[in-house]
């Protein structure tokens, strides 16, 4: 019996190790490739360890385009979009979960149905709309299509629905309204879910490529980092070591943001598992 338990434990850890290696492997290769020379990156068969190690690829990224301006634009757009998505998603999620009104279930189902519509389908009419209101190549044009998230509303609605009704009933008896109950009582209790949603929203906005490419085509003033990194691809050949260096530089803010919020994300996942 003890031997069987040990075998299962070893097998479980072996599977977890393989899964972790499969997930971390591409990132390790990306970092190592960013430290290779032009000759080393093109050798066949390809080598894993760079020989020699060089950091010139990072300076080549900075020389290829105005990296810091594009990074600043990405930070501004991602932070603003995340804050707006958290505000709209949490308030709408509270309304769908805790406020009784006619047609609530139908409206929520209709709202979730928008998740099945890809951006590529609506990008042309969306661009025409932004052009008609003179928001092409502006931060407002970048932000407006991203301030509401169907996934965020769904996630926050589930988080609010899991809270006991006694909390708001006691507040209503004391004379509190929905806004006060939402801001003072309910919102602090769904902090882990809110942090999880913020991470997903920040990552989605930071990595967004198609819409920034379309809406900022007039100039480089509002170009974001993913669009700028696409310029590292050559027409006939590509220096992949430089591309990997740019990719490493672009994921640093995402990693930093996750490290700041990982405590709440882990708490959200753990609480979800306990409720399941």
């Amino acid at each position: 019996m003890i031997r069987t338990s040990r075998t299962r434990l070893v097998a479980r850890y072996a599977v977890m190790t393989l899964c972790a290696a499969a997930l971390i492997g591409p990132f390790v290769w990306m970092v190592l490739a960013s430290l290779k020379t032009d000759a080393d990156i093109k050798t066949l068969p390809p080598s894993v360890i760079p020989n020699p190690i060089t950091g010139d690829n990072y300076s080549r990224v900075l020389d290829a385009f105005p990296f810091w301006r594009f990074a600043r634009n990405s930070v501004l757009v991602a932070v603003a979009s995340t804050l707006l998505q958290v505000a709209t998603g949490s308030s709408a999620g509270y309304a769908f979960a805790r406020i009784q009104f006619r047609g609530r279930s139908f409206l929520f189902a209709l709202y979730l149905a928008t998740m099945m519509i890809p951006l590529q389908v609506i990008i042309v009419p969306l661009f025409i709309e932004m052009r008609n209101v003179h928001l092409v190549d502006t931060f407002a044009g970048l932000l407006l299509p991203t301030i509401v998230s169907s996934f965020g509303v769904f996630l926050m609605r589930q988080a609010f629905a899991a809270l006991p009704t006694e909390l708001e009933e006691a507040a209503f008896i004391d004379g509190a309204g929905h806004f006060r109950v939402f801001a003072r009582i309910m919102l602090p209790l769904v902090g882990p879910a809110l942090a999880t949603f913020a991470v997903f929203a920040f990552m989605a906005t930071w990595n967004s490529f198609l819409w920034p490419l379309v809406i900022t085509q007039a100039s480089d003033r509002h170009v974001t980092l993913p669009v700028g990194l696409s310029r590292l691809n050559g027409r006939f050949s590509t220096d992949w070591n430089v591309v990997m260096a740019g990719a490493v530089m672009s994921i640093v803010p995402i990693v930093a943001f996750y490290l700041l919020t990982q405590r709440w994300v882990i708490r959200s996942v753990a609480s979800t598992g306990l409720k399941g």
Side-chain angles (χ1 to χ4, degrees):
M1 185 67 179
I2 297 178
R3 181 176 299 179
T4 303
S5 300
R6 288 180 178 177
T7 302
R8 291 179 178 177
L9 185 62
V10 170
R12 185 179 304 172
Y13 276 101
V15 172
M16 293 173 60
T17 302
L18 291 175
C19 292
L23 292 174
I24 299 175
F27 293 97
V28 174
W29 185 90
M30 177 179 66
V31 174
L32 294 177
S34 69
L35 300 175
K36 292 184 177 181
T37 61
D38 292 339
D40 194 15
I41 197 71
K42 298 175 182 178
T43 57
L44 291 176
S47 60
V48 178
I49 305 300
N51 185 24
I53 296 176
T54 179
D56 294 340
N57 299 321
Y58 292 91
S59 61
R60 291 169 65 182
V61 172
L62 298 178
D63 295 336
F65 56 86
F67 177 87
W68 297 115
R69 184 203 303 170
F70 294 172
R72 180 201 62 189
N73 293 342
S74 289
V75 170
L76 291 176
V77 173
V79 171
S81 177
T82 300
L83 294 176
L84 290 170
Q85 286 188 56
V86 167
T88 58
S90 58
S91 57
Y94 173 81
F96 280 121
R98 317 301 292 199
I99 301 178
Q100 298 292 333
F101 57 90
R102 182 176 298 178
R104 182 182 66 168
S105 299
F106 173 77
L107 183 61
F108 182 64
L110 188 64
Y111 197 77
L112 289 183
T114 61
M115 296 176 63
M116 296 184 290
I117 303 177
L119 176 63
Q120 291 82 351
V121 174
I122 63 173
I123 195 167
V124 173
L126 191 60
F127 177 79
I128 294 175
E129 182 181 0
M130 293 296 117
R131 185 187 62 185
N132 291 339
V133 294
H134 307 289
L135 292 180
V136 174
D137 197 22
T138 63
F139 282 121
L142 276 169
L143 278 174
L144 281 178
T146 68
I147 63 176
V148 177
S149 169
S150 301
F151 169 75
V153 174
F154 169 76
L155 180 65
M156 297 311 301
R157 187 256 183 192
Q158 299 303 108
F160 282 118
L163 298 177
T165 59
E166 290 80 7
L167 294 173
E168 56 189 329
E169 289 174 353
F172 289 147
I173 292 174
D174 292 336
H178 278 293
F179 181 79
R180 188 172 183 181
V181 170
F182 165 72
R184 296 289 186 88
I185 300 175
M186 295 298 185
L187 199 59
L189 295 176
V190 296
L194 206 62
T196 302
F197 173 44
V199 170
F200 284 119
F202 186 87
M203 290 177 59
T205 307
W206 181 269
N207 293 323
S208 179
F209 175 77
L210 182 58
W211 178 244
L213 176 66
V214 172
I215 200 66
T216 62
Q217 59 181 336
S219 67
D220 289 347
R221 185 178 179 182
H222 302 98
V223 170
T224 56
L225 194 54
V227 178
L229 290 177
S230 66
R231 301 180 181 181
L232 297 176
N233 294 321
R235 183 176 180 182
F236 300 105
S237 63
T238 300
D239 295 328
W240 291 109
N241 48 342
V242 180
V243 173
M244 293 300 104
V248 171
M249 297 169 71
S250 69
I251 68 171
V252 171
I254 298 178
V255 174
F257 185 73
Y258 175 76
L259 292 177
L260 291 174
T261 58
Q262 64 173 335
R263 180 177 61 182
W264 293 280
V265 173
I266 295 173
R267 188 183 303 173
S268 176
V269 174
S271 62
T272 303
L274 291 175
K275 292 174 185 177

